[in-house]
Amino acid sequence: MASCNLNQQSGEEKKGAEGEKLAHQYCGSCHAFPQPELLIKSSWENYVLPRMGYMLGIYSILEERNDLIEKGRGGEIVESQNIFPEKPIIDVTDWEKIKKYYLDNAP
């Protein structure tokens, strides 16, 4: 019985490590790597992660992307720079691992 718990725990730790590795790869490629402890869980969950998802092409609904891009010249610049990609540029499964890493490790 104890060995089952140990195997299950190490599997969970491995998932967290994978999420951390992915966070370094994706988040750290645009800016300094943010440690999960920098913000409380609700800030990650309700503010930072959804906004970072936008820049990776991840939206809860398509209209969400449209609402982010203003009309006129400013919107044209955002579109031309692909700030908010139309389609995900990260595997959604990898994005979920990154989110889990931050939410599991934030205070």
Side-chain angles (χ1 to χ4, degrees):
M1 201 82 168
S3 64
C4 291
N5 288 339
L6 289 175
N7 289 339
Q8 187 176 34
Q9 185 179 26
S10 63
E12 290 173 11
E13 289 171 2
K14 187 176 181 181
K15 287 181 187 177
E18 188 175 0
E20 181 178 12
K21 180 181 173 186
L22 290 164
H24 276 280
Q25 177 183 340
Y26 286 99
C27 307
S29 69
C30 293
H31 50 72
F33 175 76
Q35 296 292 333
E37 300 82 15
L38 289 173
L39 298 170
I40 60 172
K41 188 177 297 201
S42 62
S43 292
W44 283 114
E45 186 171 30
N46 300 318
Y47 185 76
V48 176
L49 291 171
R51 281 151 185 78
M52 294 312 300
Y54 300 156
M55 297 190 191
L56 296 169
I58 298 177
Y59 313 96
S60 57
I61 56 172
L62 180 60
E63 290 78 25
E64 198 168 33
R65 179 183 184 271
N66 297 336
D67 291 342
L68 294 168
I69 302 172
E70 64 183 64
K71 305 294 181 225
R73 182 71 181 129
E76 291 172 9
I77 293 169
V78 168
E79 285 277 25
S80 71
Q81 297 298 310
N82 203 30
I83 305 291
F84 304 117
E86 285 187 57
K87 297 180 185 206
I89 60 172
I90 181 176
D91 184 87
V92 177
T93 303
D94 287 347
W95 175 241
E96 291 300 321
K97 290 174 186 174
I98 291 170
K99 287 184 359 183
K100 183 171 176 23
Y101 165 70
Y102 279 99
L103 296 176
D104 286 352
N105 292 289

XYZ file of all heavy atoms in Angstrom:
857
model
N 0.817 -1.189 0.000
C 0.000 0.000 0.000
C 0.865 1.259 0.000
O 0.612 2.183 -0.739
C -0.913 -0.047 1.223
C -2.108 0.801 1.118
S -3.415 -0.010 0.187
C -4.691 1.097 0.581
N 1.903 1.286 0.838
C 2.765 2.464 0.914
C 3.475 2.718 -0.406
O 3.642 3.859 -0.819
C 3.783 2.314 2.040
N 3.887 1.666 -1.100
C 4.585 1.855 -2.371
C 3.662 2.473 -3.416
O 4.098 3.233 -4.260
C 5.167 0.536 -2.879
O 4.127 -0.378 -3.156
N 2.370 2.155 -3.362
C 1.413 2.763 -4.300
C 1.341 4.269 -4.079
O 1.312 5.042 -5.028
C 0.027 2.164 -4.126
S -0.061 0.439 -4.655
N 1.312 4.683 -2.827
C 1.272 6.111 -2.522
C 2.541 6.799 -2.995
O 2.489 7.911 -3.504
C 1.075 6.342 -1.022
C -0.329 5.990 -0.587
O -1.247 5.954 -1.397
N -0.495 5.708 0.699
N 3.681 6.155 -2.827
C 4.937 6.744 -3.274
C 4.960 6.887 -4.787
O 5.380 7.907 -5.321
C 6.126 5.895 -2.809
C 6.439 5.912 -1.332
C 7.562 4.936 -1.019
C 6.820 7.306 -0.880
N 4.497 5.868 -5.491
C 4.454 5.946 -6.950
C 3.514 7.039 -7.414
O 3.806 7.776 -8.339
C 4.027 4.605 -7.560
C 5.090 3.543 -7.421
O 6.258 3.861 -7.241
N 4.684 2.281 -7.486
N 2.376 7.164 -6.762
C 1.418 8.198 -7.128
C 2.007 9.581 -6.859
O 1.905 10.476 -7.678
C 0.130 8.002 -6.337
C -0.989 8.916 -6.774
C -2.272 8.610 -6.029
O -2.257 8.228 -4.861
N -3.391 8.780 -6.702
N 2.664 9.761 -5.739
C 3.248 11.051 -5.397
C 4.345 11.435 -6.381
O 4.386 12.558 -6.856
C 3.799 11.016 -3.972
C 4.304 12.366 -3.500
C 4.815 12.288 -2.068
O 5.231 11.241 -1.595
N 4.766 13.403 -1.389
N 5.225 10.513 -6.727
C 6.297 10.851 -7.653
C 5.728 11.166 -9.029
O 6.271 11.984 -9.754
C 7.336 9.733 -7.728
O 6.754 8.552 -8.223
N 4.600 10.544 -9.406
C 3.943 10.877 -10.661
C 3.423 12.296 -10.646
O 3.526 13.023 -11.627
N 2.871 12.731 -9.527
C 2.389 14.107 -9.393
C 3.546 15.089 -9.446
O 3.460 16.136 -10.071
C 1.605 14.271 -8.091
C 0.265 13.561 -8.101
C -0.425 13.587 -6.760
O 0.021 14.325 -5.864
O -1.416 12.858 -6.609
N 4.650 14.746 -8.772
C 5.810 15.637 -8.796
C 6.362 15.758 -10.210
O 6.765 16.828 -10.632
C 6.881 15.108 -7.842
C 6.510 15.264 -6.385
C 7.470 14.552 -5.450
O 8.448 13.970 -5.910
O 7.203 14.582 -4.238
N 6.338 14.657 -10.939
C 6.833 14.678 -12.311
C 5.987 15.621 -13.163
O 6.502 16.368 -13.978
C 6.826 13.266 -12.892
C 7.468 13.164 -14.251
C 7.521 11.735 -14.730
C 8.181 11.658 -16.082
N 8.222 10.295 -16.583
N 4.667 15.592 -12.985
C 3.787 16.497 -13.725
C 4.112 17.952 -13.416
O 4.144 18.789 -14.289
C 2.316 16.219 -13.384
C 1.779 14.959 -13.986
C 0.327 14.784 -13.629
C -0.193 13.436 -14.072
N -1.575 13.226 -13.661
N 4.349 18.247 -12.162
C 4.709 19.604 -11.780
C 6.025 20.020 -12.408
O 6.180 21.149 -12.863
N 6.972 19.089 -12.458
C 8.274 19.377 -13.061
C 8.119 19.631 -14.558
O 8.772 20.508 -15.116
C 9.235 18.222 -12.808
N 7.246 18.874 -15.191
C 7.017 19.078 -16.628
C 6.385 20.443 -16.881
O 6.770 21.156 -17.811
C 6.138 17.968 -17.189
C 6.030 18.023 -18.704
C 5.260 16.842 -19.277
O 4.809 15.969 -18.528
O 5.112 16.827 -20.509
N 5.423 20.824 -16.044
C 4.811 22.142 -16.167
C 5.823 23.253 -15.959
O 5.808 24.266 -16.673
N 6.721 23.058 -15.005
C 7.764 24.054 -14.756
C 8.697 24.171 -15.963
O 9.051 25.271 -16.385
C 8.559 23.700 -13.509
C 9.646 24.717 -13.199
C 10.419 24.403 -11.934
O 10.285 23.287 -11.393
O 11.166 25.289 -11.485
N 9.085 23.033 -16.511
C 9.961 23.036 -17.685
C 9.285 23.767 -18.857
O 9.919 24.587 -19.537
C 10.292 21.590 -18.077
C 11.181 21.467 -19.285
C 11.434 20.006 -19.628
C 12.175 19.900 -20.943
N 12.305 18.518 -21.373
N 8.008 23.481 -19.079
C 7.271 24.148 -20.152
C 7.142 25.649 -19.886
O 7.237 26.465 -20.809
C 5.889 23.516 -20.315
C 5.875 22.103 -20.893
C 4.530 21.433 -20.658
C 6.218 22.144 -22.377
N 6.935 26.024 -18.631
C 6.834 27.435 -18.276
C 8.150 28.159 -18.566
O 8.153 29.274 -19.091
C 6.449 27.589 -16.803
N 9.262 27.518 -18.237
C 10.567 28.110 -18.564
C 10.704 28.274 -20.069
O 11.167 29.306 -20.551
C 11.715 27.245 -18.027
C 12.045 27.493 -16.598
N 12.821 28.548 -16.179
C 11.684 26.817 -15.477
C 12.945 28.506 -14.868
N 12.257 27.475 -14.419
N 10.273 27.260 -20.808
C 10.404 27.274 -22.267
C 9.541 28.373 -22.889
O 10.031 29.157 -23.704
C 9.989 25.917 -22.828
C 10.018 25.832 -24.342
C 9.519 24.479 -24.832
O 9.492 23.501 -24.107
N 9.127 24.439 -26.092
N 8.274 28.431 -22.524
C 7.355 29.361 -23.181
C 7.359 30.741 -22.527
O 7.489 31.747 -23.211
C 5.935 28.790 -23.208
C 5.794 27.680 -24.212
C 5.841 26.348 -23.820
C 5.637 27.956 -25.559
C 5.728 25.324 -24.742
C 5.513 26.938 -26.494
C 5.562 25.625 -26.081
O 5.460 24.615 -27.004
N 7.206 30.803 -21.217
C 7.121 32.094 -20.525
C 8.476 32.793 -20.536
O 8.557 33.990 -20.796
C 6.635 31.903 -19.094
S 5.086 30.973 -18.979
N 9.522 32.009 -20.270
C 10.863 32.567 -20.217
C 11.424 32.980 -21.563
O 12.463 33.616 -21.632
N 10.737 32.630 -22.651
C 11.226 33.030 -23.973
C 10.864 34.478 -24.298
O 11.483 35.084 -25.173
C 10.684 32.088 -25.053
O 9.298 32.262 -25.210
N 9.888 35.037 -23.603
C 9.461 36.426 -23.860
C 9.899 37.394 -22.757
O 10.046 38.581 -23.002
C 7.944 36.493 -23.989
S 7.303 35.653 -25.444
N 10.052 36.886 -21.554
C 10.399 37.744 -20.412
C 11.077 36.887 -19.348
O 11.156 35.673 -19.491
C 9.146 38.425 -19.845
C 8.015 37.485 -19.567
N 8.016 36.586 -18.518
C 6.843 37.286 -20.227
C 6.891 35.901 -18.528
N 6.166 36.284 -19.556
N 11.545 37.530 -18.305
C 12.171 36.796 -17.203
C 11.164 35.787 -16.644
O 9.963 36.076 -16.559
C 12.612 37.755 -16.110
N 11.650 34.616 -16.296
C 10.781 33.563 -15.780
C 10.137 34.005 -14.466
O 10.846 34.337 -13.515
C 11.572 32.275 -15.562
C 10.753 31.197 -14.927
C 9.821 30.504 -15.666
C 10.911 30.896 -13.585
C 9.048 29.502 -15.088
C 10.145 29.904 -12.994
C 9.217 29.213 -13.749
N 8.799 34.017 -14.400
C 8.132 34.393 -13.149
C 7.903 33.184 -12.244
O 7.323 32.182 -12.667
C 6.793 34.961 -13.636
C 6.534 34.243 -14.917
C 7.880 33.908 -15.519
N 8.387 33.256 -11.039
C 8.161 32.195 -10.064
C 6.687 32.210 -9.638
O 6.097 33.280 -9.494
C 9.047 32.411 -8.828
C 10.523 32.331 -9.108
C 10.965 30.928 -9.482
O 10.358 29.934 -9.082
N 12.030 30.843 -10.258
N 6.081 31.062 -9.421
C 4.679 31.012 -8.998
C 4.415 31.787 -7.707
O 3.330 32.330 -7.514
C 4.414 29.518 -8.782
C 5.435 28.826 -9.587
C 6.644 29.722 -9.609
N 5.429 31.865 -6.847
C 5.270 32.531 -5.554
C 5.147 34.053 -5.670
O 4.856 34.729 -4.688
C 6.452 32.200 -4.642
C 6.617 30.725 -4.353
C 7.344 29.941 -5.449
O 7.992 30.550 -6.329
O 7.235 28.702 -5.447
N 5.358 34.599 -6.859
C 5.287 36.051 -7.041
C 3.879 36.603 -6.831
O 3.716 37.760 -6.460
C 5.769 36.448 -8.436
C 7.255 36.320 -8.691
C 7.561 36.588 -10.158
C 8.032 37.274 -7.797
N 2.880 35.777 -7.105
C 1.490 36.231 -7.006
C 0.661 35.191 -6.272
O 0.995 34.005 -6.274
C 0.894 36.427 -8.407
C 1.549 37.469 -9.288
C 1.006 37.353 -10.707
C 1.323 38.860 -8.731
N -0.444 35.648 -5.720
C -1.367 34.698 -5.104
C -2.123 33.947 -6.203
O -2.225 34.408 -7.346
C -2.341 35.390 -4.128
C -3.186 36.446 -4.845
C -1.590 36.003 -2.945
C -4.295 37.036 -4.004
N -2.621 32.791 -5.848
C -3.288 31.902 -6.797
C -4.395 32.606 -7.583
O -4.506 32.446 -8.795
C -3.863 30.700 -6.053
C -4.408 29.621 -6.961
C -4.903 28.433 -6.176
C -3.730 27.824 -5.452
N -3.892 26.449 -5.046
N -5.217 33.399 -6.915
C -6.329 34.049 -7.613
C -5.834 35.040 -8.669
O -6.476 35.210 -9.705
C -7.275 34.741 -6.632
O -6.601 35.765 -5.927
N -4.700 35.684 -8.436
C -4.146 36.590 -9.447
C -3.673 35.818 -10.672
O -3.910 36.234 -11.805
C -2.987 37.406 -8.876
O -3.462 38.310 -7.911
N -3.006 34.688 -10.441
C -2.595 33.837 -11.574
C -3.823 33.365 -12.337
O -3.877 33.451 -13.563
C -1.808 32.623 -11.082
C -0.403 32.901 -10.692
C 0.138 32.804 -9.434
C 0.679 33.316 -11.544
N 1.467 33.135 -9.463
C 1.826 33.451 -10.744
C 0.779 33.593 -12.905
C 3.063 33.835 -11.249
C 2.006 33.980 -13.425
C 3.127 34.100 -12.599
N -4.788 32.852 -11.596
C -5.950 32.206 -12.211
C -6.868 33.181 -12.940
O -7.341 32.899 -14.041
C -6.747 31.470 -11.129
C -7.883 30.646 -11.658
C -8.482 29.777 -10.569
O -8.465 30.155 -9.375
O -8.955 28.693 -10.925
N -7.111 34.330 -12.340
C -8.113 35.250 -12.883
C -7.549 36.369 -13.739
O -8.310 37.027 -14.445
C -8.923 35.863 -11.731
C -9.629 34.802 -10.930
O -10.184 33.857 -11.480
N -9.594 34.939 -9.618
N -6.263 36.594 -13.671
C -5.703 37.720 -14.409
C -4.526 37.321 -15.305
O -4.605 37.415 -16.519
C -5.283 38.847 -13.446
C -4.811 40.064 -14.164
C -5.724 40.927 -14.768
C -3.466 40.353 -14.286
C -5.292 42.038 -15.474
C -3.029 41.455 -14.990
C -3.941 42.298 -15.576
O -3.516 43.387 -16.286
N -3.451 36.872 -14.717
C -2.211 36.669 -15.467
C -2.320 35.530 -16.479
O -2.013 35.708 -17.658
C -1.012 36.444 -14.518
C 0.251 36.139 -15.297
C -0.812 37.674 -13.642
N -2.736 34.356 -16.049
C -2.766 33.211 -16.959
C -3.727 33.413 -18.139
O -3.348 33.119 -19.277
C -3.064 31.924 -16.203
C -1.938 31.461 -15.279
C -2.402 30.297 -14.403
C -0.694 31.081 -16.063
N -4.931 33.926 -17.922
C -5.781 34.169 -19.098
C -5.140 35.139 -20.091
O -5.186 34.926 -21.301
C -7.065 34.756 -18.510
C -7.115 34.234 -17.115
C -5.671 34.176 -16.670
N -4.481 36.180 -19.593
C -3.862 37.160 -20.482
C -2.643 36.587 -21.201
O -2.408 36.877 -22.359
C -3.527 38.424 -19.717
C -4.788 39.269 -19.537
C -4.782 40.129 -18.298
N -6.052 40.814 -18.137
C -7.168 40.253 -17.662
N -7.182 38.989 -17.306
N -8.286 40.944 -17.539
N -1.893 35.759 -20.501
C -0.770 35.105 -21.173
C -1.293 34.111 -22.217
O -0.696 33.957 -23.279
C 0.132 34.404 -20.163
C 0.861 35.355 -19.213
S 1.689 36.754 -20.024
C 2.822 35.925 -21.096
N -2.400 33.482 -21.920
C -3.015 32.575 -22.883
C -3.368 33.284 -24.181
O -3.188 32.733 -25.272
N -3.844 34.525 -24.075
C -4.179 35.291 -25.284
C -2.964 35.400 -26.198
O -3.078 35.303 -27.413
C -4.630 36.708 -24.946
C -5.846 36.836 -24.067
C -6.045 37.986 -23.310
C -6.808 35.832 -23.976
C -7.158 38.133 -22.502
C -7.916 35.974 -23.162
C -8.087 37.128 -22.427
O -9.186 37.280 -21.627
N -1.809 35.627 -25.610
C -0.595 35.814 -26.415
C -0.069 34.498 -26.981
O 0.821 34.498 -27.816
C 0.456 36.532 -25.597
C -0.026 37.904 -25.218
S 1.231 38.903 -24.514
C 0.232 40.255 -23.903
N -0.658 33.403 -26.505
C -0.327 32.091 -27.048
C -1.446 31.560 -27.934
O -1.426 30.418 -28.365
C -0.054 31.113 -25.901
C 1.160 31.441 -25.034
C 1.169 30.577 -23.780
C 2.441 31.276 -25.825
N -2.452 32.408 -28.187
C -3.560 32.021 -29.056
C -4.598 31.150 -28.384
O -5.312 30.402 -29.043
N -4.717 31.268 -27.068
C -5.679 30.451 -26.328
C -6.767 31.363 -25.760
O -6.485 32.262 -24.967
C -4.982 29.658 -25.215
C -3.966 28.718 -25.857
C -6.000 28.911 -24.364
C -3.143 27.922 -24.915
N -7.985 31.118 -26.204
C -9.145 31.928 -25.803
C -10.267 30.987 -25.390
O -10.400 29.901 -25.943
C -9.630 32.787 -26.972
C -8.508 33.507 -27.680
C -7.935 32.977 -28.833
C -7.993 34.687 -27.168
C -6.883 33.620 -29.473
C -6.942 35.340 -27.802
C -6.398 34.793 -28.953
O -5.351 35.423 -29.579
N -11.086 31.439 -24.451
C -12.217 30.595 -24.045
C -13.290 30.600 -25.130
O -13.969 29.604 -25.334
C -12.777 31.051 -22.699
O -13.163 32.399 -22.754
N -13.432 31.716 -25.837
C -14.347 31.817 -26.977
C -13.693 32.705 -28.031
O -12.865 33.565 -27.711
C -15.726 32.391 -26.571
C -15.587 33.758 -25.892
C -16.490 31.420 -25.676
C -16.876 34.472 -25.633
N -14.043 32.531 -29.294
C -13.431 33.284 -30.385
C -13.633 34.790 -30.221
O -12.731 35.580 -30.488
C -13.988 32.833 -31.741
C -13.426 33.556 -32.958
C -11.910 33.370 -33.047
C -14.095 33.062 -34.231
N -14.794 35.194 -29.752
C -15.079 36.625 -29.606
C -14.099 37.302 -28.648
O -13.868 38.494 -28.735
C -16.516 36.845 -29.125
C -17.574 36.522 -30.151
C -17.846 35.026 -30.295
O -17.597 34.244 -29.344
O -18.306 34.634 -31.378
N -13.541 36.533 -27.753
C -12.574 37.068 -26.799
C -11.392 37.698 -27.537
O -10.955 38.797 -27.220
C -12.101 35.937 -25.891
C -11.452 36.366 -24.622
C -11.298 35.183 -23.673
O -11.088 34.041 -24.119
O -11.391 35.430 -22.472
N -10.893 37.016 -28.568
C -9.793 37.564 -29.366
C -10.239 38.839 -30.079
O -9.523 39.832 -30.086
C -9.306 36.538 -30.395
C -8.175 37.088 -31.243
C -7.737 36.100 -32.316
N -6.604 36.627 -33.042
C -6.710 37.392 -34.132
N -7.895 37.702 -34.627
N -5.619 37.841 -34.731
N -11.397 38.806 -30.676
C -11.895 39.985 -31.396
C -12.013 41.199 -30.477
O -11.745 42.322 -30.896
C -13.240 39.678 -32.050
C -13.137 38.595 -33.104
O -12.074 38.360 -33.671
N -14.234 37.906 -33.351
N -12.405 40.979 -29.244
C -12.542 42.079 -28.284
C -11.189 42.672 -27.888
O -11.117 43.811 -27.437
C -13.277 41.606 -27.027
C -14.739 41.299 -27.288
O -15.283 41.761 -28.320
O -15.346 40.583 -26.463
N -10.125 41.918 -28.030
C -8.791 42.396 -27.658
C -8.185 43.322 -28.706
O -7.291 44.106 -28.397
C -7.842 41.207 -27.452
C -8.158 40.295 -26.282
C -7.327 39.023 -26.370
C -7.917 41.005 -24.966
N -8.659 43.233 -29.932
C -8.050 43.982 -31.033
C -8.924 45.174 -31.381
O -10.055 45.021 -31.847
C -7.838 43.061 -32.253
C -6.945 41.886 -31.841
C -7.239 43.840 -33.409
C -6.817 40.809 -32.871
N -8.376 46.356 -31.158
C -9.138 47.568 -31.427
C -9.270 47.795 -32.931
O -8.549 47.219 -33.733
C -8.468 48.779 -30.770
C -7.094 49.095 -31.337
C -6.413 50.238 -30.621
O -6.121 50.091 -29.426
O -6.185 51.261 -31.275
N -10.175 48.649 -33.285
C -10.379 49.009 -34.687
C -9.341 50.059 -35.087
O -8.735 50.710 -34.251
C -11.789 49.579 -34.898
C -12.904 48.668 -34.424
C -12.965 47.399 -35.241
C -14.089 46.510 -34.780
N -13.729 45.146 -34.641
N -9.118 50.194 -36.355
C -8.221 51.231 -36.849
C -6.769 50.802 -36.886
O -6.433 49.613 -36.872
N -5.893 51.801 -36.934
C -4.459 51.567 -37.118
C -3.843 50.737 -35.984
O -3.016 49.865 -36.222
C -3.734 52.919 -37.243
C -2.256 52.795 -37.474
C -1.942 52.269 -38.870
N -0.495 52.142 -39.019
C 0.125 51.053 -39.443
N -0.568 50.002 -39.818
N 1.427 51.012 -39.530
N -4.242 50.995 -34.751
C -3.717 50.232 -33.615
C -4.003 48.744 -33.756
O -3.133 47.905 -33.544
N -5.228 48.415 -34.133
C -5.601 47.021 -34.344
C -4.840 46.393 -35.498
O -4.464 45.220 -35.443
N -4.601 47.182 -36.539
C -3.830 46.689 -37.682
C -2.405 46.330 -37.262
O -1.854 45.318 -37.704
C -3.796 47.737 -38.796
C -5.137 47.952 -39.460
C -5.126 49.137 -40.419
O -4.046 49.702 -40.714
O -6.226 49.516 -40.877
N -1.822 47.149 -36.413
C -0.464 46.876 -35.924
C -0.452 45.601 -35.086
O 0.423 44.740 -35.255
C 0.087 48.079 -35.128
C 0.292 49.265 -36.066
C 1.381 47.706 -34.398
C 0.577 50.574 -35.365
N -1.428 45.471 -34.188
C -1.519 44.275 -33.351
C -1.674 43.030 -34.233
O -1.005 42.021 -34.017
C -2.690 44.397 -32.342
C -2.987 43.066 -31.669
C -2.380 45.455 -31.301
N -2.531 43.129 -35.252
C -2.737 41.999 -36.172
C -1.455 41.676 -36.933
O -1.065 40.513 -37.044
C -3.852 42.310 -37.173
C -5.227 42.232 -36.582
C -5.787 40.832 -36.534
O -5.027 39.836 -36.503
O -7.013 40.711 -36.506
N -0.779 42.693 -37.444
C 0.424 42.449 -38.252
C 1.554 41.848 -37.418
O 2.388 41.108 -37.939
C 0.897 43.734 -38.938
O 1.451 44.630 -37.991
N 1.590 42.144 -36.129
C 2.624 41.605 -35.247
C 2.223 40.269 -34.618
O 3.002 39.685 -33.869
C 2.944 42.616 -34.131
C 3.518 43.924 -34.644
C 4.840 43.715 -35.353
O 5.739 43.074 -34.825
N 4.953 44.240 -36.562
N 1.002 39.837 -34.903
C 0.496 38.561 -34.395
C 0.572 38.492 -32.863
O 0.922 37.462 -32.290
C 1.239 37.384 -35.029
C 0.427 36.103 -34.978
O -0.790 36.126 -35.012
N 1.116 34.987 -34.883
N 0.228 39.609 -32.226
C 0.251 39.688 -30.758
C -0.729 38.688 -30.150
O -0.430 38.037 -29.148
C -0.098 41.113 -30.268
C 0.817 42.161 -30.882
C -0.114 41.185 -28.745
C 2.241 42.135 -30.420
N -1.902 38.588 -30.757
C -2.932 37.652 -30.308
C -3.209 36.673 -31.453
O -4.085 36.905 -32.282
C -4.213 38.386 -29.904
C -4.007 39.434 -28.849
C -4.261 40.773 -29.103
C -3.562 39.092 -27.587
C -4.071 41.741 -28.131
C -3.374 40.053 -26.599
C -3.628 41.383 -26.876
N -2.446 35.576 -31.527
C -2.601 34.634 -32.642
C -4.035 34.103 -32.753
O -4.724 33.925 -31.744
C -1.635 33.507 -32.290
C -0.698 34.070 -31.300
C -1.449 35.133 -30.554
N -4.442 33.851 -33.973
C -5.789 33.311 -34.200
C -5.912 31.885 -33.688
O -6.961 31.476 -33.220
C -6.126 33.333 -35.696
C -6.441 34.710 -36.208
C -6.939 34.672 -37.644
O -7.945 33.972 -37.906
O -6.311 35.337 -38.482
N -4.837 31.114 -33.805
C -4.842 29.713 -33.376
C -3.743 29.515 -32.338
O -2.741 30.225 -32.345
C -4.606 28.801 -34.570
C -5.711 28.910 -35.596
C -5.468 28.008 -36.762
C -6.570 28.300 -37.762
N -6.904 27.263 -38.626
N -3.911 28.535 -31.468
C -2.886 28.291 -30.443
C -1.507 28.034 -31.053
O -1.380 27.322 -32.043
C -3.397 27.046 -29.724
C -4.860 27.047 -29.960
C -5.045 27.623 -31.341
N -0.493 28.638 -30.450
C 0.893 28.394 -30.861
C 1.593 27.472 -29.865
O 2.791 27.265 -29.944
C 1.673 29.716 -31.044
C 1.720 30.511 -29.747
C 1.080 30.537 -32.173
C 2.626 31.730 -29.799
N 0.812 26.937 -28.955
C 1.277 25.970 -27.968
C 0.229 24.865 -27.906
O -0.974 25.134 -28.090
C 1.468 26.632 -26.581
C 1.972 25.645 -25.537
C 0.201 27.300 -26.115
C 2.261 26.262 -24.165
N 0.666 23.654 -27.695
C -0.277 22.555 -27.518
C -1.134 22.851 -26.289
O -0.608 23.224 -25.232
C 0.502 21.247 -27.340
C -0.416 20.060 -27.256
O -0.763 19.526 -28.321
O -0.782 19.687 -26.126
N -2.431 22.724 -26.421
C -3.341 23.053 -25.324
C -3.052 22.187 -24.095
O -3.161 22.659 -22.956
C -4.819 22.934 -25.782
C -5.769 23.190 -24.638
C -5.094 23.914 -26.923
N -2.624 20.966 -24.295
C -2.255 20.092 -23.171
C -1.051 20.673 -22.424
O -1.021 20.666 -21.186
C -1.927 18.674 -23.679
O -3.053 18.179 -24.399
C -1.605 17.737 -22.535
N -0.077 21.195 -23.163
C 1.080 21.830 -22.528
C 0.656 23.080 -21.767
O 1.152 23.350 -20.668
C 2.145 22.190 -23.569
C 2.874 20.966 -24.096
O 2.754 19.875 -23.498
O 3.575 21.110 -25.117
N -0.262 23.847 -22.327
C -0.753 25.053 -21.657
C -1.429 24.678 -20.337
O -1.233 25.338 -19.317
C -1.700 25.837 -22.564
C -2.317 27.021 -21.897
C -3.647 27.243 -21.690
C -1.640 28.154 -21.325
N -3.830 28.427 -21.023
C -2.620 29.008 -20.791
C -0.309 28.508 -21.218
C -2.294 30.208 -20.160
C 0.014 29.707 -20.576
C -0.983 30.542 -20.062
N -2.195 23.614 -20.341
C -2.853 23.169 -19.114
C -1.820 22.765 -18.054
O -2.008 23.016 -16.870
C -3.826 22.015 -19.397
C -5.053 22.442 -20.191
C -5.890 23.513 -19.506
O -6.047 23.454 -18.264
O -6.374 24.424 -20.209
N -0.722 22.165 -18.469
C 0.346 21.791 -17.533
C 1.007 23.029 -16.944
O 1.347 23.057 -15.752
C 1.385 20.919 -18.234
C 0.873 19.543 -18.583
C 1.875 18.768 -19.401
C 1.296 17.439 -19.863
N 2.202 16.744 -20.775
N 1.204 24.047 -17.752
C 1.778 25.301 -17.261
C 0.841 25.933 -16.246
O 1.258 26.345 -15.158
C 2.071 26.274 -18.427
C 3.218 25.736 -19.286
C 2.386 27.677 -17.902
C 3.436 26.494 -20.584
N -0.436 26.011 -16.593
C -1.415 26.593 -15.669
C -1.441 25.822 -14.353
O -1.438 26.421 -13.276
C -2.807 26.609 -16.297
C -2.967 27.632 -17.368
C -4.357 27.758 -17.979
C -5.421 26.877 -17.520
N -6.700 27.038 -18.226
N -1.446 24.503 -14.449
C -1.470 23.677 -13.237
C -0.233 23.928 -12.384
O -0.325 24.028 -11.160
C -1.584 22.200 -13.618
C -1.687 21.262 -12.426
C -2.021 19.858 -12.848
C -2.056 18.844 -11.730
N -2.285 19.280 -10.392
N 0.910 24.047 -13.015
C 2.149 24.328 -12.285
C 2.005 25.620 -11.478
O 2.322 25.654 -10.288
C 3.330 24.418 -13.257
C 4.550 25.047 -12.655
C 5.293 24.387 -11.684
C 4.969 26.313 -13.052
C 6.416 24.974 -11.109
C 6.088 26.907 -12.494
C 6.802 26.237 -11.515
O 7.905 26.829 -10.954
N 1.535 26.685 -12.120
C 1.390 27.954 -11.402
C 0.333 27.877 -10.317
O 0.550 28.342 -9.201
C 1.106 29.095 -12.390
C 2.367 29.589 -13.029
C 2.748 29.172 -14.294
C 3.226 30.435 -12.341
C 3.931 29.593 -14.866
C 4.425 30.857 -12.906
C 4.759 30.430 -14.157
O 5.952 30.841 -14.704
N -0.801 27.288 -10.625
C -1.878 27.244 -9.641
C -1.554 26.307 -8.474
O -1.942 26.586 -7.337
C -3.184 26.840 -10.320
C -3.672 27.856 -11.362
C -4.921 27.341 -12.062
C -3.919 29.226 -10.753
N -0.834 25.241 -8.725
C -0.458 24.327 -7.641
C 0.633 24.895 -6.748
O 0.759 24.497 -5.596
C 0.024 22.988 -8.209
C -1.102 22.117 -8.743
O -2.285 22.466 -8.540
O -0.793 21.080 -9.369
N 1.437 25.797 -7.267
C 2.582 26.289 -6.505
C 2.456 27.728 -6.006
O 3.312 28.191 -5.264
C 3.850 26.143 -7.359
C 4.209 24.700 -7.566
O 4.647 24.025 -6.641
N 3.997 24.179 -8.759
N 1.407 28.413 -6.420
C 1.203 29.781 -5.942
C 0.617 29.763 -4.530
O -0.123 28.839 -4.176
C 0.239 30.510 -6.875
N 0.981 30.766 -3.726
C 0.393 30.835 -2.376
C -1.094 31.180 -2.411
O -1.581 31.715 -3.350
C 1.200 31.939 -1.696
C 1.818 32.736 -2.795
C 1.895 31.837 -3.990
